[in-house]
Amino acid sequence: STAPKSASWVAGVCRVHYRLAQYTTTLFRSMHAHLQSPEWLQTTALQKQKETEIHDLELELEELEAPAQSRRGGANSGNLQTATTHMREAQKRRITRLIDQRQRHLNVLVDEAKQMEQDREEYLRTALVSCRKCIFSGSKYDLKIIFQLIALWFEFAAKFPVVNQEMAETASEVQSYKFIPLIYQLVARIGNPQGSNSGFQAPLHTLVSRITMDHPYHALYQVFALRNNSRVGKEAGLAVDRDE
C-alpha cells in the first residue's frame, strides 16, 4: 500500500503545479500576443508574397517547357532555332534556381509559423492541466488559480479547441465547491447545449450542474434568477409583438 503523503509534500506539489500554471500562462499569452502583432503580420504577408512569386515563376516555367512551334526554313532558320533552344534552356535553369531559392525561404517561414503555433497550443494545454492539478492537490492557491483558469476558458474557448477539451475533464472531476465564488459568471454564460457553441456549453453545463447538486444554497438563486430573466425577456418580446 502507498504510504500517506505528508502535509509539506502535498503543499509542495500544489506549489509546483501553481508555478507551472503561472509560467506557462505567461508564455502562452506572450506568444499569442506576438502572433497577433504587426511584426508577425508582416511575416505572414512575406510568406504570401513568396507563394505568389513561386506560382508566377512556375507558370513562366510551364510556358518555356511547352513544345516550341516547328518552323520551316533553310540553314539560317535551323541556326535560329538552335539559338532559341539554348536561350530557352538557360531561362529554364535560371527560373528553376529562383523557384528553389524562394521555396527554401518559404519553407523556413512555414516551419517557423507552424512551430510557434504548436508551441502556443502546448503552452495553453499545459497551463490548463497545471491549473487542474493545482486545484486537485491543495487549497492554498484556490482563489488565484480558479480565476486564472476561468479567464483562460472564457477568453480562448472559441479560438482553441484544446481549451474546451481540457475543461470537459476539469468540469467533471474537480471539487465543485471551489468554483462557488464564480457561480454568477458561470451561470450568466449558460446557453443552448445543442447550439453552435456546444463545445463551450457542454463543460459549462456539467460544472454548473455539479455545483447546484452539491451546493444548492449557493447556486440555485443564480440559476432561478437567470431563468426568470429569460422568461421576462420572452414575455416582453411577446407583448411588443402584440402591440405591433
Side-chain angles (χ1 to χ4, degrees):
S1 62
T2 305
K5 307 298 183 182
S6 65
S8 60
W9 187 90
V10 172
V13 170
C14 183
R15 182 171 60 253
V16 167
H17 289 311
Y18 173 75
R19 289 180 177 175
L20 182 58
Q22 298 294 310
Y23 177 64
T24 49
T25 297
T26 300
L27 288 177
F28 163 74
R29 289 190 176 277
S30 175
M31 184 164 288
H32 183 68
H34 174 66
L35 292 175
Q36 306 295 319
S37 66
E39 293 79 7
W40 184 254
L41 293 178
Q42 290 179 358
T43 302
T44 304
L46 178 60
Q47 178 179 329
K48 293 180 180 179
Q49 177 186 340
K50 293 298 179 184
E51 292 172 349
T52 301
E53 290 176 358
I54 291 172
H55 177 71
D56 292 342
L57 288 169
E58 287 174 342
L59 291 178
E60 188 176 348
L61 185 61
E62 288 178 6
E63 292 179 0
L64 290 171
E65 289 177 341
Q69 186 177 2
S70 59
R71 299 177 181 177
R72 296 180 180 179
N76 291 337
S77 177
N79 293 336
L80 180 60
Q81 279 190 322
T82 302
T84 302
T85 300
H86 288 317
M87 289 178 60
R88 289 167 66 91
E89 292 299 324
Q91 284 181 304
K92 285 163 61 176
R93 288 193 295 271
R94 179 183 65 82
I95 293 174
T96 300
R97 285 195 299 270
L98 291 174
I99 291 175
D100 184 60
Q101 292 171 1
R102 283 160 174 74
Q103 188 64 56
R104 286 200 300 268
H105 191 191
L106 177 61
N107 290 342
V108 171
L109 294 174
V110 171
D111 290 343
E112 180 186 5
K114 186 181 298 184
Q115 186 62 53
M116 292 190 71
E117 289 172 356
Q118 290 175 351
D119 289 344
R120 175 178 59 176
E121 183 165 326
E122 189 57 33
Y123 290 146
L124 179 56
R125 181 190 298 276
T126 303
L128 294 166
V129 172
S130 298
C131 286
R132 180 170 65 242
K133 291 182 176 180
C134 180
I135 296 169
F136 277 133
S137 58
S139 58
K140 181 177 181 180
Y141 306 100
D142 275 357
L143 197 58
K144 293 180 180 179
I145 207 70
I146 291 294
F147 273 87
Q148 177 175 325
L149 176 63
I150 296 300
L152 288 172
W153 185 20
F154 287 175
E155 185 175 353
F156 297 105
K159 301 175 183 177
F160 301 97
V162 66
V163 176
N164 290 321
Q165 293 169 8
E166 292 300 333
M167 284 306 303
E169 184 173 348
T170 299
S172 61
E173 295 183 4
V174 296
Q175 305 94 316
S176 62
Y177 73 89
K178 295 192 174 186
F179 288 90
I180 289 176
L182 286 170
I183 186 61
Y184 180 83
Q185 288 84 350
L186 294 170
V187 171
R189 286 168 172 79
I190 290 180
N192 182 6
Q194 304 300 326
S196 58
N197 199 21
S198 59
F200 173 78
Q201 290 295 326
L204 178 61
H205 276 248
T206 298
L207 182 56
V208 171
S209 296
R210 291 187 61 223
I211 296 172
T212 53
M213 291 291 292
D214 297 342
H215 314 282
Y217 293 106
H218 294 87
L220 286 179
Y221 175 82
Q222 284 80 4
V223 174
F224 288 147
L226 175 66
R227 179 184 177 187
N228 291 335
N229 287 338
S230 299
R231 181 181 299 172
V232 169
K234 291 179 180 179
E235 291 176 354
L238 290 174
V240 171
D241 292 339
R242 286 194 295 268
D243 292 340
E244 293 177 352

